[in-house]
């Protein structure tokens, strides 16, 4: 765990350096597109008209935005390094050009890597009568780490809850009287190879990685409004190759998972079902797609075309009902899988069961009706929050994780590595230990 | 249908910048690099070119010469040429002196004229009270001179000079007779008390016909010298009043017409007369005659 701590701390200091320079890039590496936003931090948490910081949207401004088709990514994981690198280069260069400034630090997010959530519990006796920062560090270190398996990396480790003696639900126990401090921590791990591949791609573009994040977490930040995050809600980020699920309560993510199914599978079904190329299938899906067929749709014929030279083949047409008949089972399957994940997480026990659908694939007409049948009554379609300077083209639900990542960049949540390591966990003969001893004794 | 067909051609890879193009663009977006490119590079290039050009002695000289030529050509333009000098307010003699002291070869560029120096030179002449020097349009160097006006003739042991109202001796005379219209002052320091002398001359109007001049005695008081060697010695303090007393006495008793050598007014409380030797003898003789007749 020490290595995780060190690498994450290194990324944090990188992020701080980027904030000091005032420019940082956001990179959303998705299966269908790679989006890059360039943020400028002007240091003011107040908007021009005297409005105070609004849920973290103030304090930065998007000065460059670019997207490009993602080529080497499947299921949210890097599949072809060179292609991914080229795509990242394209996106970063275009965003830099729009911003007119060079960026060196990048915060990236990805949806693959089979994320797994763990709930950790730690408990220590408070050293003095009052909880100090050192006690918080100790209790975080005292969490018993479960077996996360070989070749997995910790992406997030956030203290969700603190309990002091019999009182639970504390967000900041420092300075309170008590004798026994306990904490609940949420840890998210991902496949280490996926993370390393992404890191390598970013490095090859001469960029420094200032943070890495799960896109389920980022889109939850962007798509859930404040009271949903507080009362409990699930964010379903339906991407191209993977669908992310994240559950929030009390403004903390308590669970995240992903389903390796997404909009690309729907396109694939259309392509196979109608015998058309993927690009035509994608076009037909976005223009005529849907999940609820009506009588009207029987009469709406869609030319699906082709350029074989065979007149009969090239003049084919299908009714929209047929198209919906192809799409619906796949969408249902995705939602069923999500349902399974939510059930596994115990979502039904949450006080509020709001479900927010976001991501590019959530734009299928009629999806909210279908989702409310499968997932529960409280379903809405979510778009990312508005942030300053975001171009109109980048305000759709497909940019939820990019926008969420910029909010995260501006106001990161406390993670385990944001706290000082307790003294006894330092490596032996550490200089810090000496300094600490001097501080404590003089 | 056409559109769809066009969209189907996907075998070609999407465009992406090459690594070097990407790096180059990032470099060009670096603010410091851009500044260096925009300011530093032209500066250094110009500097190097300039240094390379001027490192050759011959070219350096050529440039300096060219600049000098250009300057001369500009200065020699007809608009800036001064063709003649006009002197106003000076008599022939002074004008002659001025022409002598300002030796200029016309025509001449006005850039070569140091007007302030010419003015200083002209003002340095003693006969000139004030002067202004201007270059007028049409190429005329105009020198306006205010001459000193003589108010008295001053005789001292080096000669005879004219004195103006400020007490400045400015012109030597051959003799006093050259300016008989002006009063004569004599003695060292006479010009220092010139206003007093002028008021004395004014007060001596009743005897103007007999007035020879004023003499400064010991650089502190005046003697009024009249014809026949008569002298009125005046005190340091209030000499005009003392002179008026004497003139009043003259008007009443015809004092100065008599054979008096000196009227000594130096002590205001005790005016003294000195009569001439001849008069003393005459007086004794007269008295002896008187005494003799009484004795007989």
């Amino acid at each position: 765990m020490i290595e995780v701590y060190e690498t994450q701390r290194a990324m944090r200091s990188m992020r701080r350096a980027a904030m000091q320079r005032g420019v940082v890039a956001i990179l959303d590496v998705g299966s269908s597109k790679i989006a890059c936003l360039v943020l400028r931090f002007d240091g003011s948490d107040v908007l021009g008209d005297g409005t105070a910081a609004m849920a973290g949207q103030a304090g930065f401004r998007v000065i460059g935005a670019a997207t490009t088709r993602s080529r080497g990514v499947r299921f949210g994981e890097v599949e072809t390094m060179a292609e991914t690198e080229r795509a990242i280069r394209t996106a970063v260069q275009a965003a830099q050009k729009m911003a007119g400034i060079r960026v060196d630090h990048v915060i990236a997010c990805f949806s693959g890597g089979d994320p797994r959530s763990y709930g950790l519990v730690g408990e220590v006796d408070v050293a003095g009568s009052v909880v100090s920062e050192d006690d918080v560090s100790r209790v975080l270190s005292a969490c018993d780490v479960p077996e996360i398996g070989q070749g997995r990396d910790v992406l997030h480790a956030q203290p969700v809850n603190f309990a002091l003696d019999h009182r639970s639900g504390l967000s900041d126990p420092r300075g309170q009287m008590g004798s026994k401090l306990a904490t609940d921590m949420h840890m998210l791990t991902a496949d280490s190879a996926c993370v390393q591949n992404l890191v390598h791609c970013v490095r090859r573009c001469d960029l420094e990685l200032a943070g890495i994040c799960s896109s389920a977490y980022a889109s939850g930040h962007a798509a859930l409004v404040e009271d949903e995050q507080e009362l409990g809600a699930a964010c379903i980020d339906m991407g191209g190759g993977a669908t992310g699920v994240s559950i929030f309560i009390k403004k903390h993510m308590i669970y995240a998972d992903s389903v390796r199914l997404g909009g690309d599978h729907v396109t694939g079904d259309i392509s196979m079902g109608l015998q058309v190329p993927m690009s035509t299938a994608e076009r037909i899906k976005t223009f005529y797609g849907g999940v609820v067929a009506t009588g009207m749709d029987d009469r709406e014929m869609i030319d699906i075309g082709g350029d074989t030279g065979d007149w009969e083949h090239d003049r084919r047409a299908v009714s929209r009902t047929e198209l919906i008949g192809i799409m619906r089972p796949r969408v249902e399957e995705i939602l069923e899988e999500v349902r399974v994940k939510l059930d596994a997480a115990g979502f039904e026990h949450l006080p509020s069961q709001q479900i927010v659908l976001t991501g590019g694939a959530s734009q299928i007409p009629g999806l909210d009706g279908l989702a409310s049948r499968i997932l529960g009554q409280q379903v809405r379609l979510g778009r990312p929050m508005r942030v300053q300077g975001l171009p109109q083209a980048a305000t759709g639900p497909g940019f939820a994780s990019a926008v969420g990542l910029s909010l995260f960049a501006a106001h990161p949540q406390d993670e385990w590595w944001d706290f000082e390591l307790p003294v006894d966990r330092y490596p032996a003969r550490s200089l810090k230990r000496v300094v600490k001893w001097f501080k404590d004794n003089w | 249908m056409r559109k769809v067909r066009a969209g189907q051609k996907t075998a070609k890879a999407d465009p992406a910048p090459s690594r070097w193009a990407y790096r180059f663009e990032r470099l060009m977006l670096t603010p410091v690099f851009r500044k260096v490119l925009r300011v530093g590079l032209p500066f250094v290039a110009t500097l190097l070119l300039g240094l390379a050009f001027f490192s050759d002695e011959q070219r350096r000289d050529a440039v300096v010469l060219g600049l000098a030529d250009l300057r001369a050509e500009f200065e020699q333009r007809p608009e800036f040429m001064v063709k003649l000098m006009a002197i106003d307010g000076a008599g022939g003699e002074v004008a002659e002196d001025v022409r002598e002291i300002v030796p200029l070869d016309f025509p001449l560029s006005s850039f070569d004229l140091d007007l302030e120096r010419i003015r200083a030179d002209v003002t340095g002449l003693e006969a000139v009270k004030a002067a202004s020097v201007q270059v007028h349009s049409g190429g005329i160097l105009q020198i306006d001179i205010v001459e000193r006006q003589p108010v008295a003739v001053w005789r001292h042991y080096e000669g005879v000079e004219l004195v103006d109202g400020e007490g400045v001796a400015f012109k030597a005379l051959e003799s006093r007779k050259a300016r008989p219209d002006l009063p004569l002052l004599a003695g060292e320091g006479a010009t220092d008390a010139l206003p007093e002398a002028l008021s004395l001359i004014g007060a001596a109007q009743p005897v103007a016909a007999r007035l020879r001049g004023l003499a400064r005695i010991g650089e502190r008081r005046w003697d009024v010298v009249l014809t026949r060697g008569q002298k009125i010695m005046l005190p340091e303090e209030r000499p005009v009043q003392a002179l008026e007393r004497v003139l009043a006495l003259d008007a009443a008793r015809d004092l100065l017409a008599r054979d008096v050598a000196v009227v000594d007014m130096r002590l205001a409380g005790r005016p003294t007369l000195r009569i001439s030797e001849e008069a003393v003898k005459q007086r004794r003789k007269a008295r002896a005659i008187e005494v003799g007749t009484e004795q007989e």
Side-chain angles (χ1 to χ4, degrees):
Chain A
M1 288 298 274
I2 287 287
E3 310 86 75
V4 174
Y5 185 85
E6 292 301 331
T7 52
Q8 292 283 4
R9 266 194 96 91
M11 282 207 264
R12 269 301 149 92
S13 56
M14 203 91 81
R15 191 194 75 89
R16 217 165 294 127
M19 294 280 279
Q20 221 147 45
R21 282 186 58 177
V23 179
V24 68
I26 299 297
L27 200 63
D28 173 20
V29 183
S31 323
S32 62
K33 66 160 172 37
I34 288 180
C36 178
L37 304 182
V38 178
L39 309 185
R40 166 175 299 158
F41 294 94
D42 40 16
S44 68
D45 271 356
V46 177
L47 291 172
D49 53 355
T51 317
M54 298 163 63
Q57 292 131 292
F60 68 89
R61 186 179 178 83
V62 179
I63 53 170
T67 54
T68 184
R69 198 177 71 159
S70 178
R71 283 165 296 218
V73 183
R74 280 185 68 196
F75 304 122
E77 294 160 13
V78 177
E79 192 198 43
T80 319
M81 295 283 278
E83 281 294 319
T84 312
E85 186 202 325
R86 275 159 58 86
I88 291 176
R89 233 159 41 200
T90 314
V92 170
Q93 188 179 44
Q96 269 183 166
K97 194 167 184 175
M98 178 173 164
I101 194 162
R102 171 193 171 132
V103 283
D104 290 321
H105 298 90
V106 156
I107 300 177
C109 76
F110 70 107
S111 57
D114 187 19
R116 279 184 218 153
S117 276
Y118 299 90
L120 275 56
V121 178
E123 194 175 286
V124 287
D125 290 327
V126 175
S129 59
V130 170
V131 178
S132 65
E133 205 144 329
D134 189 44
D135 290 320
V136 176
S137 316
R138 278 195 306 126
V139 74
L140 291 175
S141 302
C143 288
D144 40 351
V145 182
E147 193 55 51
I148 56 173
Q150 274 292 310
R152 293 191 69 80
D153 268 351
V154 178
L155 277 189
H156 296 286
Q158 295 161 333
V160 174
N161 182 30
F162 287 100
L164 195 55
D165 295 338
H166 57 279
R167 291 183 296 136
S168 185
L170 306 174
S171 58
D172 186 0
R174 283 176 303 170
Q176 301 206 36
M177 309 282 270
S179 60
K180 203 173 270 292
L181 182 67
T183 186
D184 298 312
M185 189 146 76
H186 171 244
M187 187 166 79
L188 189 70
T189 65
D191 192 36
S192 139
C194 285
V195 176
Q196 290 311 316
N197 285 346
L198 180 61
V199 169
H200 192 65
C201 281
V202 171
R203 289 268 158 78
R204 274 178 65 85
C205 296
D206 306 335
L207 299 165
E208 300 273 6
L209 203 62
I212 194 156
C213 189
S214 160
S215 77
Y217 174 55
S219 41
H221 252 310
L224 299 183
V225 297
E226 208 172 345
D227 52 344
E228 286 170 344
Q229 285 185 12
E230 180 71 34
L231 298 172
C235 176
I236 317 290
D237 180 10
M238 304 178 74
T243 298
V245 180
S246 57
I247 301 176
F248 279 73
I249 191 164
K250 290 197 165 181
K251 306 228 172 112
H252 286 288
M253 181 174 69
I254 55 165
Y255 179 80
D257 206 336
S258 91
V259 178
R260 286 159 74 86
L261 283 171
D264 286 353
H265 297 87
V266 179
T267 311
D269 286 352
I270 295 169
S271 167
M272 282 185 270
L274 301 180
Q275 296 288 311
V276 288
M278 282 293 268
S279 56
T280 316
E282 179 74 32
R283 174 176 162 275
I284 291 172
K285 180 183 85 169
T286 48
F287 278 173
Y288 310 104
V291 288
V292 183
T294 61
M296 174 77 162
D297 294 331
D298 283 332
R299 295 190 296 277
E300 190 178 341
M301 298 305 284
I302 306 161
D303 289 326
I304 55 175
D307 58 354
T308 56
D310 178 0
W311 196 85
E312 289 292 344
H313 185 267
D314 290 356
R315 303 297 296 176
R316 283 175 303 160
V318 291
S319 69
R320 194 168 169 222
T321 310
E322 278 176 276
L323 178 66
I324 290 171
I326 293 170
M327 286 176 70
R328 184 172 169 124
R330 182 59 87 169
V331 176
E332 275 178 352
E333 186 196 354
I334 296 170
L335 293 174
E336 294 283 359
E337 286 292 323
V338 169
R339 174 83 242 169
V340 169
K341 298 287 181 191
L342 288 179
D343 285 345
F347 182 61
E348 69 266 29
H349 302 301
L350 252 58
S352 157
Q353 292 176 14
Q354 180 75 38
I355 288 173
V356 177
L357 296 170
T358 187
S362 72
Q363 287 164 296
I364 303 172
L367 181 69
D368 47 344
L370 183 62
S372 64
R373 282 193 184 180
I374 296 169
L375 299 175
Q377 285 303 308
Q378 300 175 3
V379 173
R380 73 172 179 92
L381 294 176
R383 291 172 146 267
M385 288 188 189
R386 280 170 293 176
V387 293
Q388 266 189 300
L390 195 67
Q392 178 65 35
T395 53
F399 290 86
S401 47
V403 172
L405 203 54
S406 26
L407 299 178
F408 167 80
H411 300 278
Q413 279 192 314
D414 282 342
E415 307 233 20
W416 169 55
W417 37 83
D418 289 329
F419 295 91
E420 290 294 326
L421 212 56
V423 180
D424 52 330
R425 294 299 177 103
Y426 278 126
R429 293 191 304 280
S430 161
L431 192 67
K432 264 190 185 169
R433 203 165 172 169
V434 178
V435 173
K436 175 90 176 141
W437 186 82
F438 267 91
K439 256 190 196 164
D440 290 349
N441 288 282
W442 270 288
Chain B
M1 280 294 96
R2 285 279 155 206
K3 266 186 196 165
V4 172
R5 203 181 297 160
Q8 279 167 354
K9 287 188 179 173
T10 54
K12 191 177 61 171
D14 290 353
S18 70
R19 272 181 90 78
W20 288 109
Y22 172 77
R23 279 186 186 159
F24 177 70
E25 181 148 349
R26 276 170 69 75
L27 188 66
M28 292 304 283
L29 282 171
T30 312
V32 173
F33 184 78
R34 278 168 74 167
K35 192 157 271 181
V36 164
L37 212 61
R38 209 179 62 232
V39 180
L41 203 67
F43 178 74
V44 169
T46 324
L47 193 71
L48 283 181
L49 277 177
L51 286 179
F53 184 77
F54 282 110
S55 59
D56 187 11
E57 172 96 48
Q58 217 170 341
R59 274 189 291 218
R60 207 157 56 220
D61 288 350
V63 167
V64 169
L65 209 67
L67 282 178
D69 280 355
L70 210 65
R71 189 191 162 91
E73 199 180 312
F74 182 75
E75 284 176 357
Q76 298 299 323
R77 289 170 74 109
E79 300 90 73
F80 299 123
M81 296 307 284
V82 176
K83 286 180 221 77
L84 54 96
M85 178 161 70
I87 298 170
D88 277 358
E93 214 173 310
V94 177
E96 212 46 54
D97 286 349
V98 168
R99 274 179 207 287
E100 204 168 290
I101 211 167
V102 188
L104 295 174
D105 289 337
F106 296 106
L108 188 71
S109 170
S110 62
F111 286 94
D112 298 337
L113 288 175
D114 185 355
L115 294 183
E116 196 48 49
R117 219 182 118 204
I118 294 174
R119 201 183 78 83
D121 283 351
V122 171
T123 318
L125 289 175
E126 276 173 342
V128 175
K129 190 173 180 185
S132 78
V133 180
Q134 292 175 313
V135 175
H136 277 204
S137 62
I140 298 167
L141 179 65
Q142 176 78 40
I143 302 179
D144 288 319
I145 288 173
V146 179
E147 270 191 86
R148 293 191 187 277
Q149 295 302 323
V151 294
V153 179
W154 179 36
R155 172 182 289 149
H156 51 113
Y157 60 84
E158 279 175 8
V160 182
E161 276 185 292
L162 286 177
V163 178
D164 81 335
E166 290 164 17
V168 179
F170 63 91
K171 192 180 173 192
L173 291 177
E174 291 292 315
S175 71
R176 192 259 180 276
K177 290 203 176 79
R179 293 300 295 266
D181 54 323
L182 294 176
L184 179 72
L185 307 178
E188 287 303 304
T191 52
D192 297 339
L194 193 71
E196 202 176 59
L198 293 179
S199 58
L200 281 176
I201 288 164
Q205 232 19 258
V207 286
R210 289 194 54 206
L211 184 66
R212 292 270 312 268
L214 299 182
R216 188 76 170 162
I217 308 298
E219 293 192 32
R220 60 189 170 83
R221 64 174 199 83
W222 290 102
D223 272 4
V224 178
V225 180
L226 302 175
T227 49
R228 294 192 347 241
Q230 263 183 345
K231 250 190 222 174
I232 306 170
M233 299 163 104
L234 297 174
E236 268 171 80
E237 301 286 321
R238 298 154 67 93
V240 178
Q241 278 79 351
L243 181 62
E244 278 169 354
R245 274 176 76 189
V246 175
L247 293 176
L249 209 60
D250 177 47
R253 295 287 181 86
D254 231 2
L255 171 67
L256 297 176
R258 296 166 194 256
D259 199 1
V260 175
V262 172
V263 182
D264 187 351
M265 297 296 290
R266 286 177 297 183
L267 294 176
R270 201 183 58 159
T272 312
L273 296 181
R274 188 196 305 162
I275 45 181
S276 64
E277 225 164 312
E278 199 59 31
V280 172
K281 280 182 193 159
Q282 286 297 325
R283 190 174 152 73
R284 281 206 185 123
K285 214 180 271 178
R287 192 175 265 185
I289 292 166
E290 248 171 58
V291 169
T293 51
E294 265 180 32
Q295 281 174 346
E296 283 176 33

